[in-house]
Amino acid sequence: MKVFREQVCVFASQKPQSQLMVRLTETERFLIEEKARDAGMKPSAWLRQSAKKAKVLARLKPDDLRHLRTLTGVANNLNQLTHLAHKEGLTFIRQSCKELISQIDVILKKLGSDDR
């Protein structure tokens, strides 16, 4: 019991010292308040805790965007091949599918190789 009281004192001495003004949409505010309520916390405490544990991902690099656009084109090709397979049969598009799968594999390896 004594240890618990010592821990409380340590945390109580670490009161927030500064303020940060943040503009939120009504939806964002509602979500924060709801999550805080579900956690049994005040919104300010929930935001502080979230800030400590949050993981922020880097934006996509230009190369990543280019690879994603290429994948979009490949998806379009795949859609066209699917229509052709329904019309002509699977054996007719076999080689095209192999080439497309190879392209997808190369692009995904490029996307996965970059540290983000």
Side-chain angles (χ1 to χ4, degrees), residues 13-24:
S13 67
Q14 296 177 353
K15 292 183 180 179
Q17 303 265 329
S18 64
Q19 293 181 337
L20 174 66
M21 298 294 291
V22 178
R23 293 187 187 274
L24 303 170

Side-chain angles (χ1 to χ4, degrees), residues 62-75:
D63 279 347
D64 293 340
L65 291 172
R66 185 173 45 82
H67 294 315
L68 288 175
R69 279 193 290 278
T70 303
L71 271 178
T72 302
V74 169

Side-chain angles (χ1 to χ4, degrees), residues 3 30 45 55 66 74 85 87 111 115:
V3 173
F30 175 77
K55 180 180 177 184
R66 185 173 45 82
V74 169
K87 188 176 177 182
L111 278 172
D115 287 331

Side-chain angles (χ1 to χ4, degrees), residues 54-60 116:
K55 180 180 177 184
V56 178
L57 298 176
R59 290 183 178 204
L60 291 175
R116 294 174 11 96

Side-chain angles (χ1 to χ4, degrees), residues 15-99:
K15 292 183 180 179
Q17 303 265 329
S18 64
Q19 293 181 337
L20 174 66
M21 298 294 291
V22 178
R23 293 187 187 274
L24 303 170
T25 64
E26 288 297 321
T27 303
E28 291 167 337
R29 183 183 178 115
F30 175 77
L31 288 172
I32 290 169
E33 288 174 345
E34 182 180 42
K35 289 179 181 185
R37 188 174 29 257
D38 291 346
M41 304 170 82
K42 292 182 179 180
S44 57
W46 185 87
L47 279 169
R48 282 193 297 275
Q49 198 67 10
S50 297
K52 291 175 188 173
K53 294 183 178 184
K55 180 180 177 184
V56 178
L57 298 176
R59 290 183 178 204
L60 291 175
K61 298 175 185 172
D63 279 347
D64 293 340
L65 291 172
R66 185 173 45 82
H67 294 315
L68 288 175
R69 279 193 290 278
T70 303
L71 271 178
T72 302
V74 169
N76 186 39
N77 292 347
L78 182 60
N79 191 33
Q80 291 173 359
L81 285 173
T82 303
H83 287 293
L84 193 58
H86 286 291
K87 188 176 177 182
E88 302 291 333
L90 289 175
T91 55
F92 183 76
I93 63 160
R94 183 177 177 184
Q95 185 58 36
S96 297
C97 286
K98 285 183 178 182
E99 291 171 8

